[in-house]
Amino acid sequence: MNELPKNAFRQRPDLHVETEGEFKGWRTWTRDSFETHNGPFWHRIDENGKVQCAFRVERKHLNGMRNVHGGAFMSFADYCLFAIASSSHLEGPGVTIGFSCEFLDAAREGELIECDGEVTRAGGSLIFLRGTLKSGDRSLFTFSGTIKRVKRKPRTDAGAVAT
């Protein structure tokens, strides 16, 4: 259980495995400052080889009505796109080029939010995914997205990207 395929996350030297607490043994990435600030968001591989993603709602995730802010759901869903794709299809860098979502229900502080998602198609440069965020049996948010695999351009002497 929780073992990664040999090709998974090959280009992610920033992979962190939690060593204590509720998410002991779960993974996150530390390179993305936005996700680090807005998370922590977590992922792991279950006993069937499927990616599981989750986060525990904190006060910082709430809007003025004390529900999870829509942007928090959207940020987590984008994280899920990459966690799901990285386990089997995305072997290097990628960017989100399409994202669609529907808000179904509210969540509150303290709830565990989990993602059930899948790759629906993977081609040469595009990966299509969809998922549902849930709290227990309650569906909160559905989403679909597209990741484009990208090639890194060589850097020039001043750190600028060559064109």
Side-chain angles (χ1 to χ4, degrees):
M1 179 173 136
N2 211 16
E3 291 302 313
L4 293 172
K6 289 181 179 161
N7 66 339
F9 315 111
R10 185 178 297 153
Q11 303 297 322
R12 299 303 301 252
D14 61 329
L15 185 66
H16 166 76
V17 179
E18 185 59 34
T19 59
E20 57 188 38
E22 176 181 16
F23 292 100
K24 182 178 181 178
W26 290 66
R27 296 165 171 85
T28 193
W29 295 299
T30 59
R31 181 176 58 196
D32 191 313
S33 298
F34 185 84
E35 285 176 357
T36 300
H37 177 75
N38 288 287
F41 301 139
W42 302 97
H43 63 278
R44 69 179 177 184
I45 309 296
D46 71 12
E47 60 277 355
N48 298 315
K50 186 169 177 149
V51 175
Q52 296 177 307
C53 301
F55 80 101
R56 179 70 65 184
V57 178
E58 299 176 22
R59 186 169 185 229
K60 69 179 181 176
H61 299 122
L62 306 180
N63 61 23
M65 296 173 50
R66 291 191 257 178
N67 296 318
V68 173
H69 192 284
F73 275 159
M74 292 166 66
S75 296
F76 177 57
D78 187 67
Y79 174 92
C80 295
L81 290 175
F82 283 85
I84 293 164
S86 293
S87 72
S88 59
H89 295 88
L90 184 63
E91 295 182 13
V95 294
T96 306
I97 62 167
F99 185 86
S100 179
C101 64
E102 295 79 34
F103 297 91
L104 307 175
D105 201 354
R108 299 207 165 47
E109 188 172 0
E111 288 189 67
L112 178 66
I113 309 300
E114 299 176 283
C115 176
D116 181 26
E118 66 180 341
V119 172
T120 57
R121 185 176 191 286
S125 64
L126 299 177
I127 304 169
F128 301 88
L129 304 99
R130 66 177 171 207
T132 302
L133 304 186
K134 295 182 174 189
S135 178
D137 291 333
R138 210 170 83 246
S139 294
L140 306 170
F141 181 93
T142 60
F143 65 95
S144 62
T146 306
I147 295 173
K148 178 168 179 49
R149 293 180 178 102
V150 296
K151 295 178 183 169
R152 295 193 177 173
K153 294 181 179 178
R155 297 177 72 78
T156 62
D157 59 316
V161 176
T163 56

